[in-house]
Amino acid sequence: MKYLRFVKNGQNLFGVLEGESIRQLDSDFLNESAKFTGEVFQLSDVKLLPPVNPGQVIAIGLNYALHAEESGKAIPDEPMIFMVSPTAIVPDGEEIVLPNLDHRIDYEAELAVVIGKQAKGVKKEEALDYVFGYTACNDVSDRNLQKKDGQFTRAKSFATFKPLGPVIETELNPNNVEIKLTVNGEVRQHSNTDDLIHDIESLIVKVSEVMTLNPGDIIITGTPSGVGPLKPEDEVVLEIEGIGKLRNKVVDGSKQAGLQAEEPHTA
Ligand code: MG
């Protein structure tokens, strides 16, 4: 099933997507008691929200061999784990705002795992039992800051740097789906999650060895080769087989309030 969150008549609602129709749920789908209300909306009549509002966004670096190679890094023998702020998340259709046009800011197509029940010290054979479903995430990254800091949090946590959606698909083999990203219609990344160095079960095991995962938390699982820079006016489409298309336009945020040095006060 395809689960989503949306706004209608000023209310944040939950639902299941069937074709172009949304069947409303009476509460959050992460809660097992959610029921259909009987209300149906058309997808074209609502505004999508990110399909989940995670407490934690756990990210995995260098999880496709060809991407490790293009980054000039060795393949890690264990998943490389870091965290980014959930406040960077935006839904399908919202703009990616570039705060500094002098920096190289890249797209990164990734499969995101949405946790369905609390997980700690999970065994590999049970790992997928803790998953609610899967969605797409564009792990937008400021390479200048990533290099300068040596830590990834600042480079990857600016507002709008984590487009997420459009829906959460629950029926998916996460270790064999096609993943593709286009910029202005041109294919830039095209791979399959069967190329992951550490598969989805291994990621859940390794992350849950360290921290407790709660329902709604997401793990973004790394990007394939072909990463490259974004510029204002670019139209980015991240498509994952079975999930759909996450579309976001890029805009210049260098002149937006709060993102640049203040004008000096004049008398
Ligand atoms: Mg990434």
Side-chain angles (χ1 to χ4, degrees):
M1 290 225 272
K2 288 182 163 59
Y3 290 92
L4 45 65
R5 291 166 69 232
F6 61 100
V7 182
K8 183 69 183 173
N9 302 326
Q11 284 186 295
N12 292 359
L13 304 173
F14 301 89
V16 171
L17 182 66
E18 292 178 358
E20 296 296 304
S21 303
I22 300 170
R23 296 176 68 198
Q24 191 194 344
L25 292 165
D26 63 356
S27 60
D28 190 342
F29 43 76
L30 291 171
N31 153 10
E32 281 175 15
S33 62
K35 291 182 190 63
F36 289 111
T37 61
E39 198 81 56
V40 177
F41 301 100
Q42 291 310 299
L43 183 59
S44 54
D45 291 341
V46 308
K47 180 188 176 319
L48 286 189
L49 291 167
V52 69
N53 187 16
Q56 303 186 93
V57 178
I58 297 109
I60 307 298
L62 305 173
N63 202 21
Y64 288 82
L66 286 176
H67 173 60
E69 193 178 294
E70 75 181 356
S71 308
K73 303 268 167 47
I75 293 171
D77 61 344
E78 290 190 288
M80 201 264 272
I81 301 169
F82 59 97
M83 297 189 72
V84 295
S85 174
T87 61
I89 293 174
V90 286
D92 178 56
E94 203 147 301
E95 291 168 340
I96 298 166
V97 181
L98 304 185
N100 189 336
L101 299 187
D102 295 334
H103 287 190
R104 175 166 161 166
I105 301 177
D106 283 2
Y107 53 80
E108 289 190 353
E110 306 200 11
L111 177 72
V113 177
V114 181
I115 297 298
K117 59 180 182 179
Q118 195 173 74
K120 181 81 177 89
V122 170
K123 294 192 189 71
K124 187 162 185 177
E125 56 274 21
E126 293 168 0
L128 297 186
D129 299 345
Y130 293 86
V131 174
F132 179 80
Y134 304 89
T135 188
C137 183
N138 187 350
D139 180 20
V140 176
S141 305
D142 182 321
R143 300 298 184 211
N144 295 61
L145 296 180
Q146 196 173 350
K147 205 169 172 188
K148 183 177 183 187
D149 293 354
Q151 308 255 348
F152 297 175
T153 306
R154 179 164 71 141
K156 290 172 177 272
S157 296
F158 283 93
T160 79
F161 273 25
K162 292 292 158 285
L164 188 76
V167 301
I168 300 171
E169 173 60 66
T170 51
E171 308 300 318
L172 196 77
N173 173 0
N175 294 308
N176 188 5
V177 281
E178 214 178 311
I179 179 163
K180 185 166 93 173
L181 184 140
T182 64
V183 178
N184 305 324
E186 199 176 289
V187 178
R188 300 288 180 82
Q189 293 185 285
H190 195 181
S191 187
N192 186 296
T193 56
D194 65 4
D195 280 338
L196 285 170
I197 297 166
H198 303 286
D199 64 13
I200 302 303
E201 292 89 332
S202 304
L203 298 179
I204 294 167
V205 169
K206 281 294 175 183
V207 173
S208 76
E209 267 176 19
V210 181
M211 63 190 89
T212 302
L213 294 168
N214 288 310
D217 285 351
I218 63 172
I219 303 174
I220 61 175
T221 57
T223 197
S225 61
V227 299
L230 294 169
K231 60 181 192 314
E233 305 304 318
D234 279 346
E235 303 271 356
V236 189
V237 180
L238 164 50
E239 182 173 12
I240 300 183
E241 185 185 355
I243 295 170
K245 291 179 178 176
L246 174 65
R247 303 163 194 265
N248 302 88
K249 186 182 172 178
V250 180
V251 299
D252 175 6
S254 61
K255 293 178 183 63
Q256 290 185 10
L259 291 171
Q260 60 166 117
E262 276 181 39
E263 291 289 321
H265 288 289
T266 50

